[in-house]
Amino acid sequence: MKRWISDYRVQSTLAIEPADKKLRYVHPENIFEVHISENPAADSSDEDLSVQIILSAPDISAAEKETQTELQNFLHLLSFITSSPFKITRRLSLIDWTPGLSIRDLYAYGPKDDAEKIAAMSSELLDTASTLHLWGSSPLLDTSLRWYAAGVRSKIMEDQFQFFWFVIELIATATKSQSKVPDKCPRCGGELFCTTCQEIPHHRPYEKQKIAMLLDAQQLPQQMIDDLFYVRNSLLHGTPREIIEDQIQEREPEFSFDKIVDLAGRLAWTLIFNAFEKPSKCHSPKFLQVSTYVNWTMTMKAHMQMGVQGDPLDPQIEGVTLPTISLIRHESLNRQKARRNERLGLVKGWRPSHFI
């Protein structure tokens, strides 16, 4: 089994105590070890710590996945211990750290390809803000807008889905419905029949039933509704996103987690819009709509071999000198960027009362 080291930069509100220049942690079962030091001043200002994780893996592909997972879990544990945030900002390298090698296999990671800002803010959009203010607000709308905004700005898909779901749940449970629903069999889901009264008993819908009724009113296929509830329940019980995706793909091969996030986001937007009390006559507002709520970034890595200065039997991260890697665009990448920058589109008027 080979040993691998992966070099990261981490954002944190905590600094290392002056007496300790570098911290070293070894897992009690020797699964991995972590080295933490202050980030060099020349690096990005939002990258406070330099963190390396070392572990065993059969090959570079497995090491790439396992180092990321183990470090992320370790940082979650540190957040619990310190009640402070730790966020991986980027990975610099992944190197074969097996003792005794003169030439080492490695991945060197380039900088992420940040999306350019899109010139889309306009006076027309501020006119829309004025229109919505005139339509009025409510505690329900204010709370729904807060959760929707949190979902839009989040960069973690699981968080995005849950923030958007909060909007769906808030609006659904606040809706007063005069209709009643039949009692259902807990085993098969069929409607129960009372032999004494010779009828099917009905009751006012529970919260979950209210949500299901609202989603059905948006003319969603039943399979989409089932997927939304499945993802919500799985996240609530701590199931990782990758496992949720694998489980649903067993019956729906085309499913992906980003698609369910986008579905939840569009639903949340539609429900908020419909929650505004619009006058019978008003001018048509204009909105920007996104093709995806998920934050995608393009990165590159170079697979190469290199030597490390110093003793091959005791390699040190300070002996690694990585090449500078730049992202050079070619035609296909430019087309991808163009599509990404078209994720915002100006939409005139409002959507119908149901979701399309």
Side-chain angles (χ1 to χ4, degrees):
M1 187 77 73
K2 295 183 177 180
R3 295 285 283 174
W4 302 88
I5 185 170
S6 196
D7 190 13
Y8 289 86
R9 294 296 178 264
V10 172
Q11 184 178 13
S12 175
T13 57
L14 297 181
I16 296 177
E17 291 185 353
D20 296 309
K21 293 184 178 180
K22 188 172 184 177
L23 302 176
R24 178 174 178 262
Y25 173 81
V26 179
H27 189 281
E29 298 176 0
N30 203 31
I31 297 175
F32 63 83
E33 65 179 90
V34 174
H35 299 257
I36 306 173
S37 59
E38 297 285 352
N39 196 34
D43 285 3
S44 176
S45 59
D46 66 344
E47 298 176 344
D48 308 287
L49 300 175
S50 174
V51 180
Q52 296 80 43
I53 181 168
I54 303 173
L55 51 70
S56 298
D59 54 52
I60 195 168
S61 296
E64 184 177 40
K65 181 178 180 180
E66 291 175 22
T67 50
Q68 181 81 14
T69 300
E70 293 291 358
L71 179 59
Q72 191 66 73
N73 290 339
F74 179 71
L75 294 179
H76 292 165
L77 184 62
L78 282 186
S79 290
F80 175 73
I81 294 170
T82 64
S83 297
S84 302
F86 294 88
K87 177 185 176 182
I88 294 175
T89 55
R90 62 186 171 120
R91 189 204 302 242
L92 276 66
S93 63
L94 172 66
I95 306 173
D96 187 341
W97 217 234
T98 306
L101 298 180
S102 57
I103 300 297
R104 299 177 181 275
D105 206 24
L106 80 146
Y107 282 157
Y109 298 87
K112 65 180 181 179
D113 182 33
D114 291 321
E116 295 179 1
K117 288 183 172 61
I118 303 170
M121 284 293 293
S122 67
S123 58
E124 290 179 305
L125 298 179
L126 298 185
D127 291 340
T128 296
S130 178
T131 298
L132 298 184
H133 276 136
L134 290 173
W135 288 356
S137 185
S138 66
L140 173 65
L141 271 173
D142 290 342
T143 304
S144 298
L145 287 169
R146 176 162 63 89
W147 287 125
Y148 178 81
V152 169
R153 68 173 177 263
S154 176
K155 295 184 178 180
I156 301 173
M157 283 194 281
E158 295 91 327
D159 291 349
Q160 286 185 294
F161 179 89
Q162 294 188 86
F163 290 144
F164 293 144
W165 182 265
F166 290 162
V167 175
I168 297 170
E169 187 168 332
L170 275 169
I171 295 177
T173 54
T175 303
K176 294 182 179 180
S177 175
Q178 300 301 320
S179 61
K180 294 184 178 182
V181 296
D183 289 331
K184 298 291 186 70
C185 172
R187 179 177 297 178
C188 69
E191 297 179 356
L192 296 177
F193 179 78
C194 177
T195 56
T196 302
C197 300
Q198 291 296 301
E199 65 179 19
I200 298 173
H202 288 69
H203 64 269
R204 295 195 182 279
Y206 305 127
E207 290 191 356
K208 182 177 179 180
Q209 291 171 319
K210 284 185 176 182
I211 298 171
M213 292 169 64
L214 182 64
L215 295 177
D216 184 66
Q218 305 308 307
Q219 301 182 7
L220 286 179
Q222 186 60 46
Q223 187 60 62
M224 283 189 178
I225 297 176
D226 293 342
D227 288 345
L228 286 165
F229 274 108
Y230 184 85
V231 172
R232 180 264 182 191
N233 294 337
S234 297
L235 288 176
L236 185 65
H237 291 91
T239 307
R241 167 170 55 89
E242 295 81 5
I243 294 179
I244 296 173
E245 197 168 50
D246 290 342
Q247 291 172 340
I248 298 181
Q249 283 176 350
E250 290 180 1
R251 60 179 184 271
E252 298 174 52
E254 299 300 319
F255 176 87
S256 62
F257 203 91
D258 60 287
K259 290 180 181 178
I260 202 75
V261 169
D262 287 336
L263 173 61
R266 293 194 299 270
L267 275 168
W269 190 97
T270 302
L271 295 177
I272 291 174
F273 184 86
N274 292 338
F276 278 100
E277 294 186 7
K278 297 173 277 293
S280 56
K281 293 183 179 180
C282 64
H283 77 276
S284 179
K286 298 178 181 179
F287 299 89
L288 287 177
Q289 297 291 345
V290 295
S291 61
T292 180
Y293 289 94
V294 176
N295 289 275
W296 297 105
T297 56
M298 187 185 302
T299 58
M300 66 166 293
K301 64 184 178 186
H303 189 180
M304 60 183 71
Q305 293 182 327
M306 66 177 294
V308 176
Q309 300 177 24
D311 184 359
L313 294 175
D314 185 25
Q316 301 294 318
I317 192 67
E318 292 79 8
V320 175
T321 302
L322 292 175
T324 300
I325 300 177
S326 301
L327 183 63
I328 301 175
R329 297 189 177 279
H330 52 75
E331 186 178 355
S332 63
L333 290 182
N334 285 329
R335 286 199 298 269
Q336 290 181 32
K337 182 182 178 183
R339 286 196 297 270
R340 181 184 62 190
N341 285 353
E342 290 170 0
R343 67 189 292 264
L344 291 175
L346 190 62
V347 178
K348 298 182 180 180
W350 56 76
R351 297 186 179 195
S353 59
H354 63 272
F355 177 74
I356 298 178

